[in-house]
Amino acid sequence: MGSLLKAENISKEYVSGTFIKKRNLALKSVSFSIDDKTPSITAIAGESGSGKTTFARVLAGILDKSSGVLRYQDKDINHMTKDEELNFKKEVQTIFQDPFEVYNPFYKVDHVLTTPLKKFGMTSSKSESDKMIISALEEVGLRPDETLGRYPHQLSGGQRQRIMVARAFLLRPKIIIADEPVSMVDASLRATILEELKNLRKNHNISIIYITHDLTTAYQVADNIMILYKGQVVEAGSVENVINKPAHPYTKLLTDCIPRPDPDQKWSKTSGDISVKSRVIKGCNCAFCNLNEEKESFTEIYEFKKNQIVSCKLKKKMKLCPDNEISKYFVKPKK
Amino acid sequence: MPNILEVNNLKVYYHTSKGPVKAVEDVSFSLAPGERMGLVGESGSGKSTIALALMKAHKYPASIENGKIMVGKTNLIDLDEEEMRKTRLKEIAMIPQGAMNSLNPVKRIKPQIMDALIDHDLKLSKTEKENFLTKLMESVGLDYSVVNLFPHELSGGMKQRVCIAISISMQPKVIIADEPTSALDVIVQRQVMETLYEVQENLGAACILIGHDMGLMAQFADKIGIMYAGKMVEMGTVLDIFKKPKHPYTRLLIDSLPDTNSKRDLIGIPGIPPSLLNIKEGCSFCLRIGQRTTSKIPWVKVSKNHYYQKCSKCSNYGKSKKRVKG
C-alpha cells in the first residue's frame, strides 16, 4: 500500500521576538498519511490555536515545518526536482477560509481561474482553457454565463467560495486541502458547498482534507477525523466512533458543546459540567489532563478500539501504537 | 403578562443613489418579559438592521420609514437623541457582534464599564463602585481582577462576557444579542451562551438572539422569527419551527442542517437571495427560485403563536425529494 501524501513526525515551532525569543510549539510530532488507492475524506478538528491550520499549511507546502518529513508520492518535498515540485503544487490544492480576501477586487473573477491554468501550462489555446473553466464551474453547480466576467463584489460569499472550489478542481488535483471552507458562508449555502466537495471525491477520485471546528459537518462529510489539542493528536479514528462515542475527555467536552439543531436535545439535558477541571482524568499527563504547564505532557498514542486511537491514559490498559502512525487505524472509505 | 417589547410594521430603508434598499419591510413581533426570541436569516436578510433600528443606532443612509418600537409604554421612534441616550442600556441594551473589536484597546475594562454609569448620572461612592463591579463580574462568571486588565489580556470568551456585563450593567428590560458567539470556539460558545441565559433569566429581561446558527437557536430560544429578504416570513415557537416548518425557506433551512445521527446527502437551498434594491411587492422566495408573484402575500395562522407568509406559488416548493441544482 503506497501513500500519496505522508507526514512523519511533523513539528512546527513559531519563534517571535528579536532579543528575548518566545517559542511556541504549534505542532508536536504529528504523523498522518493519505492512501493513494482509495480517495478519502479526513477531517481535522480542534479549537482555535490547536494547530489545525498550521498542519494544513504544512501539508500543502505553504509553510515550512521545523522538523519531520513530508513526502509526496514517496519523495521528500524538500528534496524535489523542479518538475516534481511543480507537480506537487499542482496536485495538492488548497481552499481557504475567507472567500472575500482571496480575490483581488480590481480583477474579474476569471483572473483566479485563468492564471493557474497558464502558470501550470495546462492549456495551449484560449478556447481550450475556456472550455475547462466552464466545465469546472458547472461541476460545482455555478452557471458560467452568470459568473464569468463579473467582479468579486458582484457575487455572494457562497458563490465566491464555489469559484474557489472550481479553481482547485480545475487543476485536476489528487488532494484538496480545505481550511474551514464553510465557516464564513451562510448556513443555507453550506450544505451545497460540502456536497460539492463530497462529489469531487466520488466522481473524480480526489482525496480531501477538511479542516473545521464544526463536528456536525465533519461527521456528515468525512470518513475519519483527527482531533488536535495544543498541537497534538488527542483522538483519531472513524467519525462514527470519535464523534458519537468519544473516548478522550477533551473530545467528550467538544461533543457535549455542539449546539444540536434539535429542541429535544438541549444542552441542559445532554450534559452536565463543562469546566475543564471537572473533565480531567487524575494521574494522566496527556495534553488535556496535564494542568501543570511546567510539566511536559506525553505524546504517546494508544489503541482504544479497532478504529479509534486516543492519547490519554483513561485508567484503562491499552496497547501502544508504534511510530504514532494513526492512519493505520482509519476506516477504509466506501466508494 | 403585558409585552415589554412591541415592534409594529417596522420599515428600515437604506437610501442609495440608485433607490431605496428595503432592508426591513413591515416586520412586527412582540416579546413578554423573560421571553427569548431568535431572529434567523442569512446575511443581507435585515436581521442586524433590525437590531440597530431597535437601538436607534442606525446611521445614514439608513432611516426608519415607518413603524412603532414600544418598550413598555414609550415609543422609541418618538424619542430625541438625548432621551434615547438615557434609554439605551437602561431599557434596551445590545451585545455587539464580534466582541473582539468592540472594546477600547487602550483603556482598562473598569473605566469602560463605568462609562455607562457616568453617562446615566449614577453617582456611586468608591466602595459602592467596588461592590457593584464585583457583583456585575460575578454575574457573568468573571473574577473581579479582570476589571483592571486591558482587552488584549483577555481571551475571546472573556471579552464577550465583559460585553455582556456592560450591556446588563443598567439592568435593561430588553437585551439584543447580535451573533454574540460568531467568532468563538464551541466550548467557549457554550459557556458564553449559558452566561447569557443565566443573566437574562436573573434580570427577567426579554432577549433577542440574532444569528444564523440554527443549533444555537434550538438551544436558546423560546420562539423563532425567520427573516428572508427583509421580511419576516415565519414566526413560531422553537418546536413549531423545527418540527413543523411551513414556509419553503424555513423548511429547506431545517432540511439543510447537518446532524450526527446518520450520514445523508446534504442538500442546500438553491439560488441566491434577491437584491433588496428597489424590490417589488410580492413573494421574495419566488424570486430565488425563478418565479414571479406580484400580489401581497397573506399571513396564515397555523396554530396559536405560529404564523407564516403563505405564497400560493412556492409554498410547496421542494417538498418532493427531487430538487433542481443551481
Side-chain angles (χ1 to χ4, degrees):
Chain A
M1 192 175 78
S3 60
L4 194 58
L5 186 70
K6 189 168 192 195
E8 293 166 16
N9 293 314
I10 301 271
S11 293
K12 174 69 189 171
E13 193 176 43
Y14 290 108
V15 184
S16 58
T18 350
F19 298 111
I20 305 156
K21 293 268 192 259
K22 239 178 139 179
R23 286 169 193 285
N24 180 12
L25 200 58
L27 272 183
K28 279 188 213 166
S29 64
V30 180
S31 300
F32 163 68
S33 70
I34 292 178
D35 183 38
D36 61 353
K37 298 244 162 38
T38 35
S40 58
I41 302 182
T42 314
I44 301 177
E47 58 187 21
S48 34
S50 62
K52 55 186 196 302
T53 296
T54 302
F55 190 49
R57 291 183 171 219
V58 169
L59 286 179
I62 301 167
L63 201 66
D64 209 8
K65 59 219 170 298
S66 307
S67 68
V69 187
L70 180 66
R71 287 178 212 279
Y72 182 67
Q73 291 176 333
D74 292 327
K75 290 189 193 84
D76 188 338
I77 68 148
N78 286 14
H79 302 99
M80 274 183 168
T81 62
K82 267 249 160 74
D83 285 350
E84 285 169 347
E85 196 177 329
L86 203 64
N87 185 47
F88 167 68
K89 291 207 166 139
K90 175 178 161 292
E91 292 187 345
V92 180
Q93 284 299 318
T94 324
I95 299 167
F96 293 104
Q97 179 176 13
D98 194 331
F100 300 91
E101 269 183 357
V102 290
Y103 289 93
N104 185 336
F106 292 109
Y107 288 112
K108 291 177 180 164
V109 293
D110 310 30
H111 186 72
V112 297
L113 297 167
T114 51
T115 314
L117 281 180
K118 269 188 225 150
K119 293 272 172 200
F120 288 110
M122 289 179 68
T123 54
S124 47
S125 67
K126 184 152 190 316
S127 63
E128 201 184 333
S129 77
D130 283 352
K131 229 165 137 190
M132 282 182 81
I133 288 172
I134 286 172
S135 78
L137 288 174
E138 278 168 351
E139 185 68 36
V140 298
L142 286 170
R143 293 187 202 104
D145 52 317
E146 285 178 12
T147 318
L148 294 171
R150 293 207 180 195
Y151 285 95
H153 70 265
Q154 295 172 307
L155 300 172
S156 73
Q159 282 175 311
R160 290 187 214 191
Q161 195 63 303
R162 276 149 92 176
I163 294 175
M164 289 327 283
V165 178
R167 186 202 66 86
F169 170 67
L170 194 59
L171 298 167
R172 302 291 180 269
K174 295 214 161 86
I175 298 175
I176 290 179
I177 298 171
D179 186 0
E180 307 233 18
V182 293
S183 68
M184 293 180 80
V185 175
D186 270 315
S188 64
L189 296 164
R190 264 179 208 176
T192 320
I193 290 172
L194 292 173
E195 197 56 32
E196 272 144 25
L197 285 177
K198 276 167 80 178
N199 285 338
L200 287 186
R201 189 262 296 259
K202 209 166 89 192
N203 305 334
H204 300 280
N205 291 339
I206 299 172
S207 286
I208 289 160
I209 298 174
Y210 174 57
I211 315 249
T212 184
H213 61 251
D214 181 357
L215 293 179
T216 44
T217 57
Y219 177 84
Q220 289 297 335
V221 171
D223 313 305
N224 294 296
I225 186 169
M226 50 198 269
I227 311 275
L228 290 180
Y229 183 72
K230 288 188 182 167
Q232 271 175 249
V233 179
V234 291
E235 186 162 359
S238 70
V239 287
E240 281 84 6
N241 280 345
V242 174
I243 295 174
N244 284 343
K245 288 169 235 148
H248 197 284
Y250 175 68
T251 322
K252 272 187 193 149
L253 181 59
L254 266 187
T255 51
D256 280 348
C257 290
I258 298 175
R260 295 183 195 271
D262 181 357
D264 296 332
Q265 273 187 305
K266 291 225 178 179
W267 278 332
S268 49
K269 283 184 206 159
T270 51
S271 63
D273 199 347
I274 52 159
S275 65
V276 171
K277 265 191 188 148
S278 69
R279 301 296 182 110
V280 164
I281 292 172
K282 266 189 195 148
C284 173
N285 62 339
C286 73
F288 179 74
C289 300
N290 179 14
L291 297 174
N292 182 358
E293 282 193 9
E294 275 145 42
K295 223 165 78 184
E296 186 89 7
S297 50
F298 76 81
T299 53
E300 285 89 22
I301 290 172
Y302 297 95
E303 187 181 332
F304 180 74
K305 255 194 229 164
K306 191 174 157 236
N307 289 317
Q308 194 169 6
I309 51 147
V310 64
S311 173
C312 182
K313 285 192 178 135
L314 297 180
K315 295 183 192 156
K316 187 181 159 189
K317 263 224 154 110
M318 290 177 289
K319 217 170 77 192
L320 204 67
C321 303
D323 313 328
N324 282 3
E325 174 54 63
I326 56 175
S327 313
K328 268 194 301 201
Y329 297 89
F330 282 174
V331 286
K332 280 262 162 59
K334 276 180 232 122
K335 268 285 266 190
Chain B
M1 209 168 355
N3 288 329
I4 184 70
L5 177 72
E6 248 178 72
V7 176
N8 283 328
N9 300 325
L10 184 66
K11 274 187 192 180
V12 186
Y13 290 179
Y14 289 89
H15 292 286
T16 67
S17 54
K18 289 179 189 158
V21 174
K22 300 177 178 177
V24 179
E25 181 82 343
D26 269 331
V27 168
S28 309
F29 57 86
S30 62
L31 277 174
E35 202 172 18
R36 288 176 293 270
M37 184 177 101
L39 211 52
V40 185
E42 52 204 339
S43 35
S45 62
K47 55 195 194 313
S48 289
T49 305
I50 291 185
L52 288 174
L54 290 184
M55 292 292 286
K56 280 182 78 179
H58 60 282
K59 289 198 184 104
Y60 178 81
S63 74
I64 299 178
E65 298 290 303
N66 186 19
K68 258 190 194 170
I69 304 171
M70 302 293 290
V71 176
K73 287 198 173 79
T74 40
N75 186 354
L76 298 190
I77 307 278
D78 299 336
L79 300 182
D80 62 23
E81 190 45 39
E82 196 46 43
E83 289 165 320
M84 196 57 217
R85 267 170 77 93
K86 300 282 176 230
T87 312
R88 289 189 195 118
L89 280 186
K90 195 145 196 188
E91 303 287 330
I92 185 164
M94 178 156 138
I95 302 165
Q97 187 172 13
M100 308 293 159
N101 312 317
S102 42
L103 295 169
N104 185 342
V106 294
K107 255 184 163 180
R108 290 179 201 277
I109 300 300
K110 193 173 176 172
Q112 302 198 42
I113 296 177
M114 297 318 280
D115 237 9
L117 304 189
I118 295 164
D119 201 55
H120 285 89
D121 302 322
L122 205 73
K123 289 194 180 65
L124 299 173
S125 71
K126 212 175 166 191
T127 45
E128 276 175 330
K129 260 187 205 167
E130 215 137 283
N131 284 339
F132 173 80
L133 282 172
T134 320
K135 250 197 191 153
L136 188 63
M137 294 316 261
E138 206 176 86
S139 68
V140 293
L142 289 175
D143 201 57
Y144 175 73
S145 61
V146 171
V147 300
N148 292 319
L149 298 176
F150 284 102
H152 73 262
E153 295 175 280
L154 308 178
S155 68
M158 285 162 94
K159 274 187 232 174
Q160 192 55 276
R161 283 189 224 189
V162 168
C163 287
I164 295 178
I166 293 174
S167 71
I168 60 159
S169 58
M170 302 294 294
Q171 302 181 334
K173 299 188 180 86
V174 180
I175 304 171
I176 305 163
D178 188 0
E179 302 208 25
T181 59
S182 57
L184 302 175
D185 286 314
V186 266
I187 299 173
V188 183
Q189 166 174 287
R190 177 164 172 190
Q191 288 164 346
V192 168
M193 287 315 290
E194 284 181 347
T195 307
L196 181 61
Y197 190 99
E198 231 166 73
V199 297
Q200 180 259 344
E201 198 98 299
N202 290 343
L203 277 178
C207 186
I208 302 174
L209 177 69
I210 295 171
H212 58 223
D213 187 338
M214 290 304 277
L216 278 186
M217 295 297 164
Q219 297 292 336
F220 185 81
D222 300 323
K223 62 178 184 184
I224 292 179
I226 306 281
M227 293 286 298
Y228 184 74
K231 291 176 191 131
M232 190 170 279
V233 293
E234 186 160 0
M235 168 65 117
T237 64
V238 182
L239 283 173
D240 288 338
I241 296 285
F242 276 89
K243 306 281 178 196
K244 287 176 263 169
K246 289 286 175 197
H247 193 274
Y249 178 74
T250 318
R251 200 169 60 230
L252 294 178
L253 189 65
I254 300 287
D255 279 351
S256 78
L257 297 173
D259 57 44
T260 62
N261 301 327
S262 62
K263 282 200 182 184
R264 58 189 172 89
D265 282 350
L266 297 169
I267 304 159
I269 305 178
I272 50 166
S275 159
L276 299 180
L277 183 68
N278 292 319
I279 194 166
K280 304 223 164 48
E281 194 158 311
C283 172
S284 41
F285 192 75
C286 278
L287 290 174
R288 182 170 186 151
I289 55 173
Q291 294 182 10
R292 227 23 225 109
T293 41
T294 44
S295 53
K296 208 170 160 66
I297 309 298
W299 278 94
V300 174
K301 184 174 178 178
V302 186
S303 60
K304 196 182 170 243
N305 299 326
H306 187 188
Y307 300 87
Y308 79 111
Q309 286 203 319
K310 184 171 181 176
C311 166
S312 54
K313 271 195 181 164
C314 69
S315 63
N316 283 323
Y317 177 77
K319 266 197 173 162
S320 62
K321 283 288 161 205
K322 265 193 190 166
R323 247 176 248 161
V324 198
K325 264 197 168 184

